[in-house]
Amino acid sequence: MSTFRAPGRFTFGVGALAALGDEARRFGNRAVLVTGRKALAEAGTTRRALEVLKEAGVEAALFDKVEPEPDVATVDRLRRLVREQGADVLIGLGGGSAIDAAKVAAGLARRDEPTRAFLDGAEVTRPVLPTIAVPSTSGTGSEMTNNGVISDRARQHKASIRHASLVPAVALVDPEITVSCSPEVTAISGVDALVQAIESYVSRHATPLTDAVALRAVEELVRALPAVVTQGENIALRTAAAWGSAMAGLALGNARLGVVHGMAHPIGVRYGVPHGLVCGVLLPPALEFNREAIPQKFETLRRILGGDPVGYAQGLLLACGLPMHLKEFGLDPETFEAIAEESLPSGSTKANPRDVTKDDIIAMLNRVT
Ligand SMILES: [Fe+2]
């Protein structure tokens, strides 16, 4: 049996941010707007969001303290503000970090335990507050999914908090917001979205429905990348990337991912490698590893990518100005055994189409070091 989950509403379009006030007003008149520390304020997007909320009669408190890879302590602070504000709705405006923090804080709004307890396995329960997710990058697809990735730096731990009720009530995707992304953020986010589309397509949990969504995501992302990296003002390319990342999010939220994402968390939390970069670098060896397990899906990918998937993935990194290895992050082979041990129990690794062993993971790590 499979169940397909999606946001209650999906609003997409250039200029769609103007609808944020009306979307929020449907849930009440008190909101918390959750964003990162700088980029969106500098681009004027935060001010614009606050304006449209005010025009719709929504009183919004601003929480602009979400760091990349949000920590349990940040989510705890946000949860206190949500309580003080008596919020009816949380709005996550930003990359995956801001949206994930908003989703988790909304999911835990009626709970007293610290956020850390939920990284350790405490279960999210209803009732939760609704979330409106407004992505500022075309990457994580977090606006479509039922999980939030939270870090616990004190313990070098990073994991997903997951529950059906964490799927945003509204995903509001406005490609215009992504125009302010730097070429580097555009490249790293776009590559992450493509890895997510491909991993969800080949996942063990894929269904005909998730396949349809994942393949269209691959098509849109192949249209956008790498051109969107150097032509950031091109709204047609930004629109293709935004469709691609949202659809990849919808696919992965229902089909899960694969070994690349299983390895990405333990590597990212140890070495501070940006998530999309570690995923991009691991894609070629993971595709090579999976090749024999998924001959038909490989053939379909070859058709869409216009060539062998492994070669395409390597060429894309090059064309996006991204490295093909993680040398500059100083990966220490002494840690590979521990990384492998932490990668194996991940739900992503378990969804990989070919069974993965500790030695397989160490071999892939050696190829990118
Ligand atoms: Fe990812």
Side-chain angles (χ1 to χ4, degrees):
M1 193 177 87
S2 64
T3 301
F4 191 86
R5 295 193 182 87
R9 285 159 69 90
F10 179 73
T11 299
F12 185 102
V14 175
L17 183 61
L20 177 62
D22 291 337
E23 292 287 0
R25 192 73 187 80
R26 292 168 45 239
F27 301 106
N29 59 8
R30 295 175 83 82
V32 173
L33 179 66
V34 184
T35 73
R37 285 168 173 164
K38 257 195 353 229
L40 289 179
E42 284 168 4
T45 309
T46 308
R47 184 177 37 80
R48 172 88 180 113
L50 289 168
E51 276 169 13
V52 295
L53 288 164
K54 195 173 175 196
E55 281 163 18
V58 177
E59 186 195 310
L62 177 64
F63 183 88
D64 57 358
K65 297 175 178 58
V66 182
E67 71 277 34
E69 327 279 340
D71 192 78
V72 283
T74 305
V75 179
D76 284 338
R77 274 203 296 282
L78 170 58
R79 290 171 64 196
R80 281 197 289 279
L81 175 66
V82 168
R83 234 170 234 212
E84 285 161 20
Q85 171 77 356
D88 301 306
V89 58
L90 270 74
I91 301 161
L93 169 66
S97 300
I99 294 174
D100 282 1
K103 284 159 65 180
V104 170
L108 305 182
R110 311 262 189 256
R111 299 292 292 268
D112 294 321
E113 304 95 313
T115 305
R116 176 175 284 166
F118 295 88
L119 275 191
D120 290 344
E123 278 201 43
V124 179
T125 49
R126 291 171 206 278
V128 305
L129 289 178
T131 318
I132 300 176
V134 188
S136 65
T137 62
S138 293
T140 68
S142 175
E143 68 274 16
M144 313 299 274
T145 69
N146 66 346
N147 69 303
V149 181
I150 304 296
S151 295
D152 187 347
R153 285 185 176 73
R155 298 190 298 168
Q156 281 211 346
H157 182 51
K158 179 177 172 185
S160 270
I161 295 176
R162 190 179 302 276
H163 190 263
S165 63
L166 295 192
V167 179
V170 179
L172 192 153
V173 181
D174 181 349
E176 205 165 42
I177 298 175
T178 67
V179 167
S180 65
C181 287
S182 69
E184 192 190 2
V185 168
T186 302
I188 290 176
S189 310
V191 167
D192 183 29
L194 182 67
V195 175
Q196 292 177 170
I198 291 174
E199 286 211 295
S200 56
Y201 174 58
V202 303
S203 160
R204 269 173 212 252
H205 306 301
T207 67
L209 179 52
T210 61
D211 279 358
V213 177
L215 284 179
R216 282 295 284 123
V218 174
E219 285 177 351
E220 293 295 328
L221 291 164
V222 166
R223 182 178 307 169
L225 292 167
V228 69
V229 176
T230 50
Q231 300 170 49
E233 305 275 322
N234 183 321
I235 202 70
L237 292 173
R238 290 289 189 186
T239 299
W243 272 120
S245 71
M247 285 190 288
L250 190 57
L252 82 88
N254 290 283
R256 305 294 301 260
L257 289 159
V259 67
V260 169
H261 277 80
M263 296 167 70
H265 287 182
I267 298 173
V269 79
R270 267 191 186 75
Y271 295 104
V273 191
H275 171 78
L277 180 57
V278 68
C279 289
V281 168
L282 288 171
L283 182 63
L287 279 170
E288 195 60 68
F289 175 75
N290 283 329
R291 182 191 291 272
E292 66 184 51
I294 43 165
Q296 281 186 335
K297 288 203 162 179
F298 231 75
E299 195 45 48
T300 305
L301 286 173
R302 176 197 299 275
R303 201 164 21 83
I304 295 177
L305 300 174
D308 184 70
V310 177
Y312 174 88
Q314 289 167 333
L316 182 65
L317 289 173
L318 208 63
C320 288
L322 298 176
M324 289 170 68
H325 50 72
L326 296 171
K327 281 196 180 72
E328 66 185 275
F329 294 94
L331 265 61
D332 177 0
E334 296 268 302
T335 63
F336 289 180
E337 181 113 359
I339 290 173
E341 263 162 25
E342 287 168 41
S343 306
L344 286 177
S346 146
S348 296
T349 306
K350 288 181 180 156
N352 194 71
R354 182 177 160 192
D355 283 340
V356 186
T357 67
K358 207 199 282 188
D359 287 345
D360 296 329
I361 289 177
I362 291 171
M364 280 185 254
L365 282 166
N366 279 317
R367 283 189 57 180
V368 300
T369 303

